[in-house]
Amino acid sequence: MVHGFLKQMTSSESNSKFQIPAFFIGGFFLLNSYIAGFFFPEKEVSEISAILSSLIFGLPLVYNALKDLFTGQVEMNELAALSFTASFCTANYKAASVIAFFMIISHLIEQRTECNARKNIEALMRLTPSKAQVLIDGTIIERDANTIKNGDIVQVLPGDRIPGDGKVIEGISTIDESAITGESLPVEKGGDASVYSGTVNLSGRLVIKITSGSGETILSKIKDLIKQAEKSRTPVMKIINRYASWYTPSILMLSGIVLFFTRDIQRAISMLILSCPCTVILSGPVALVTALGAAARSGVIFRDVSILEIVQKVTTIIFDKTGTLTYGNLLVSTIKVFNETNSHTLLYYAGSLEQYSHHPAAKAIIKECIRCNITLSGSADFCETAGMGVRGTVEGKCISVGRMEWIQKQCTPGTISEISHDSYGTSLYILVNGEHCGTILLSDVVKSDAHTTIESLRKLPIANILMFTGDKAFVAEHIARQLGCAFEAEMLPDQKMMRIRDAKSSGEIVAMIGDGVNDAPAVAAGDVSIAMGGIGSEVAIHSASIVLMNDKLDRIPFIFRLSRVTVSIIRQNIMFSILFIIVMMASSASGVISPVLAAILHSLSTVLVVLNSARLLRESEQTV
């Protein structure tokens, strides 16, 4: 950035005690130099104030320029210091003071913008609480949160932040995970549920067994990813840095040529001021930090900012099906009833038996009963036939729940009403006293936002959108038909990876989206790898180039929009900055622009670049 003086002023509390007052004192003397010119005929009164102001503002510029030269870092401090020194040495004290003043104002704008852009990131850094209430032999002992370790038992009261990743062993509460996942709705947590460091306990007392202490939590890993991303650079920024060392000598040469032919040092000073590449240097970092902040606010973490430039070039997007486009577990999708039985009664009979089973189908039935607020009763003679079904007595009625071939053996042939062969999923048939009363269809349901996500990606537009799955072709076809995308089925993990490599070798830029666990090799094989649900996945955080901290598919189009807007804004900033410097330097060389006006125009150009970069904040506002 521009001036080490101002960077220290805004970051060092001890130094700011002297530097911020010095800034205002310098501003007072500058204003006084102009006022004194109106009220006092003696020129010396005005010049004394101007000299004091220019020394207060200008000496830090000269100091930092000399420091850069001695350390071999030739940046823009030298141009600012030279323009100030030239004005001061030619006794143009007011101009020297104004030049230094507006250079500092420009930097203050930059610093303020960076602070605003980083606020979402810094808020994430401050999520971990400072203290934790540790339970030892029934006694609560308060400790520093960074000292807790795996196996510790901690108490978290309503309103407190959770000090480490762990499992709930006592209590029920709602947890605000929005700072990490970007999901605004609180999540209910009970026995054995996973909780994460930095999230807020909203309603009830929780006792938690720590599984990841300080430095090992999901939040710590997110912090590391963000720090890593901030240190990285896009290809455009690398090009700018590569040629930065040539810039200052070239500007000095051009200013020297103008001074030699025109003998007008004011023109050379104006050229030095307007050639300070604040806007060029600012073009990338402010936009990127703003983009990282917008992404973090939406629960999206980038491992490297350079991936933003690749995302906007993607031509093929591949989704893994299970856990990405679908929920990844069985859910009740259809209930068909017969013989005047209603769906509520059917679920009641089925759930009263399935509550004793650990089969995935049983869990789906129980989940649906909970959703429908159905209170279940017990069964004294429950019996389960592995892989086939369950039977027992509920309220004096003989109930059987199971597969077609098993149910048919318990009733008169031909009395079972079959589900249409067009239906997709697992069918559970329910008998009540030997009579077929209904069928419950279970399936891995497509996520509610999957179709709109695919449609949004098509509008961007993305040429090819595919779904990969290891499931049978008829299952994949059923899902793909709902989503309106192409598919490839019955694929093993290594086949998915090879298919992605083939697409890349044919010139496609591939983005692979999965949960980062069972499809980790395929996800890592893409030019862009996006892992969903990273809050619960260690593998995702370490393997993917982009990690989504929740399972909301609407973050996928957001990533592509953010990438395109960010790259577009960086290019706009750079083009504007280069054209501005060329036009203004030419105008300065022709004598149109004075040094004071040059300083004002320089500050205005900084404001324009900052305002253009701030447009990125709208992207997160549209998503959150």
Side-chain angles (χ1 to χ4, degrees), residues 101-312:
F101 175 77
F102 276 102
M103 288 293 183
I104 291 173
I105 288 294
S106 295
H107 185 69
L108 282 174
I109 293 169
E110 297 167 24
Q111 288 291 103
R112 180 63 179 172
T113 304
E114 282 195 357
C115 287
N116 287 338
R118 287 179 54 87
K119 65 182 179 181
N120 291 316
I121 298 172
E122 290 173 346
L124 187 65
M125 303 300 183
R126 294 193 296 268
L127 286 179
T128 305
S130 58
K131 298 292 183 180
Q133 295 183 355
V134 183
L135 285 170
I136 300 177
D137 297 328
T139 303
I140 297 175
I141 299 175
E142 190 169 78
R143 288 183 180 173
D144 289 338
N146 58 13
T147 64
I148 64 171
K149 57 186 182 299
N150 294 359
D152 283 349
I153 307 297
V154 299
Q155 170 185 267
V156 182
L157 299 176
D160 291 346
R161 290 191 181 275
I162 296 172
D165 293 355
K167 297 279 188 181
V168 176
I169 59 176
E170 183 183 323
I172 298 175
S173 181
T174 50
I175 306 295
D176 179 5
E177 297 180 340
S178 59
I180 296 179
T181 66
E183 175 57 61
S184 58
L185 295 176
V187 182
E188 187 169 305
K189 301 281 186 175
D192 205 40
S194 296
V195 291
Y196 303 99
S197 174
T199 56
V200 182
N201 179 19
L202 295 179
S203 57
R205 173 181 176 270
L206 292 177
V207 177
I208 299 166
K209 182 176 182 179
I210 298 297
T211 57
S212 296
S214 177
E216 302 173 352
T217 63
I218 292 291
L219 182 60
S220 298
K221 293 178 175 66
I222 294 172
K223 291 176 183 178
D224 292 340
L225 287 181
I226 292 175
K227 289 177 181 177
Q228 177 182 321
E230 286 188 297
K231 292 177 182 178
S232 59
R233 293 290 181 268
T234 65
V236 171
M237 292 170 64
K238 290 176 182 177
I239 292 172
I240 291 173
N241 292 339
R242 186 184 306 166
Y243 293 103
S245 59
W246 294 89
Y247 184 79
T248 299
S250 301
I251 294 299
L252 291 175
M253 181 186 68
L254 290 173
S255 301
I257 292 172
V258 169
L259 178 62
F260 178 79
F261 284 106
T262 64
R263 305 295 179 183
D264 185 356
I265 194 169
Q266 301 302 314
R267 299 187 185 193
I269 292 172
S270 297
M271 289 180 68
L272 290 174
I273 295 168
L274 288 165
S275 64
C276 289
C278 280
T279 51
V280 177
I281 295 172
L282 200 62
S283 296
V286 169
L288 289 170
V289 171
T290 305
L292 287 176
R297 182 181 175 188
S298 299
V300 178
I301 309 299
F302 287 85
R303 291 182 65 88
D304 191 318
V305 293
S306 64
I307 206 69
L308 277 165
E309 211 158 334
I310 301 173
V311 169
Q312 53 98 28

Side-chain angles (χ1 to χ4, degrees), residues 378-399:
S379 174
D381 55 352
F382 170 81
C383 177
E384 180 172 7
T385 302
M388 299 304 291
V390 296
R391 63 183 301 173
T393 302
V394 178
E395 294 185 349
K397 296 180 180 180
C398 181
I399 310 296

